[in-house]
Amino acid sequence: MLSAMLLSAALAADPAVVVTTRGDVQLTTAGETAAAPAPPFALMDNQSLTVAEGALVVVLYQGAANQLRGPRSVALSELRASTEIPKEQVGVLNDLFSRELSTDKAGASRAGDLRMVRPVPGGTVLAPQTFGWRCAETCAEEDVQIYDFREDAVVWTAKGNGTVEYAGPDLGPGAYSLVVAGREFAFTVAPKSTRESAQRARAAAMAAAQSLPKDDPASVAVPATVLLQAGLASEALWLIDQALTERGESPELIEMRREFERRAGIAP
């Protein structure tokens, strides 16, 4: 279960989302100043950021990934809008971040000494990618099955030791169960309408991230944040996992994964 909604129900007309903070960053709200929370979080029109010397923030605003280095103060009115990506893509992002999202609640992620982490139990996916679980001790090789509730049948089997790549048939929209060592964890494959809207949002996010260096973790944080806000925490985590595989054990990516898992309700 998400520990908190990413955004409140009443965002400013032009929503801004802080996707990355590095170093000493303070958030001031109505005169009260405290350390900025772990990203992603909304930057409201009554708030400002104080970015210390050597620190950095990346704020997604009107289709632009604003990369701001300290020392400086940052308010919503100072952010620039994108002049590079189409207006319809800006609109997709604004629509996504201008409303409180009714996201899926994660189900029970633990069964005995086994904890499921990919996909998020009870959550929604566009398509399964890598299944992953963690054990209290060392994980042994286990039988893995995908059970289709509509067909009342097992549609794929494999063996894995903590992780296994999905290599089965395309799964249609509906409810499924991932069975590992006889323990069941539910997930849902999104309907066509959700898939189409998520693909539009992801395309807009990738366009916004193009202004960032490709090896910068912020280029991962932008689309991952969009997927999280779209109710697709598993897709966001798979994106971070892929970046960690390709780029190595980046401390910032590791912390990003930890925070996204916490929000998805699967943190240790």
Side-chain angles (χ1 to χ4, degrees):
M1 172 177 173
L2 290 177
S3 60
M5 295 310 299
L6 187 61
L7 304 176
S8 70
L11 283 177
D14 296 327
V17 181
V18 179
V19 298
T20 296
T21 62
R22 294 178 195 148
D24 182 8
V25 179
Q26 303 287 315
L27 176 67
T28 299
T29 305
E32 297 286 334
T33 300
F41 62 91
L43 181 64
M44 313 291 284
D45 56 4
N46 66 337
Q47 295 177 318
S48 65
L49 297 168
T50 302
V51 186
E53 185 172 0
L56 172 144
V57 297
V58 177
V59 187
L60 184 60
Y61 174 75
Q62 290 288 82
N66 288 260
Q67 192 170 30
L68 307 164
R69 300 182 182 277
R72 64 175 298 169
S73 177
V74 179
L76 196 64
S77 59
E78 301 173 62
L79 299 176
R80 64 175 177 83
S82 175
T83 58
E84 303 293 330
I85 72 173
K87 289 183 179 179
E88 58 267 25
Q89 289 190 324
V90 174
V92 166
L93 295 176
N94 282 351
D95 178 66
L96 184 65
F97 287 109
S98 292
R99 55 189 169 83
E100 185 175 63
L101 186 68
S102 179
T103 55
D104 293 325
K105 294 181 179 179
S109 64
R110 187 181 296 275
D113 62 351
L114 188 149
R115 183 162 57 88
M116 187 58 54
V117 293
R118 303 290 186 279
V120 175
T124 300
V125 304
L126 301 180
Q129 298 181 35
T130 301
F131 298 118
W133 58 95
R134 296 169 188 162
C135 308
E137 303 294 338
T138 302
C139 289
E141 186 175 68
E142 303 286 2
D143 291 322
V144 179
Q145 297 179 335
I146 299 297
Y147 174 80
D148 184 338
F149 284 100
R150 298 168 308 161
E151 300 295 331
D152 189 21
V154 173
V155 295
W156 183 68
T157 62
K159 288 184 178 292
N161 189 339
T163 183
V164 62
E165 294 285 337
Y166 181 67
D170 290 341
L171 300 182
Y176 296 84
S177 179
L178 170 62
V179 185
V180 179
R183 291 163 248 195
E184 298 185 10
F185 303 91
F187 68 95
T188 299
V189 174
K192 182 179 179 181
S193 59
T194 300
R195 295 163 73 96
E196 290 175 347
S197 62
Q199 288 164 355
R200 288 194 296 270
R202 179 158 52 186
M206 297 301 289
Q210 284 183 352
S211 63
L212 301 168
K214 289 185 178 180
D215 60 349
D216 190 323
S219 67
V220 179
V222 171
T225 297
V226 167
L227 289 167
L228 181 68
Q229 176 67 356
L232 298 167
S234 297
E235 301 288 338
L237 286 164
W238 279 323
L239 187 66
I240 299 169
D241 292 340
Q242 181 182 2
L244 277 163
T245 298
E246 294 173 351
R247 304 181 189 189
E249 294 292 292
S250 157
E252 189 168 337
L253 286 171
I254 291 171
E255 181 56 35
M256 189 188 307
R257 180 174 62 185
R258 183 181 297 116
E259 176 61 20
F260 275 57
E261 287 188 345
R262 184 187 70 78
R263 290 174 185 253
I266 56 172

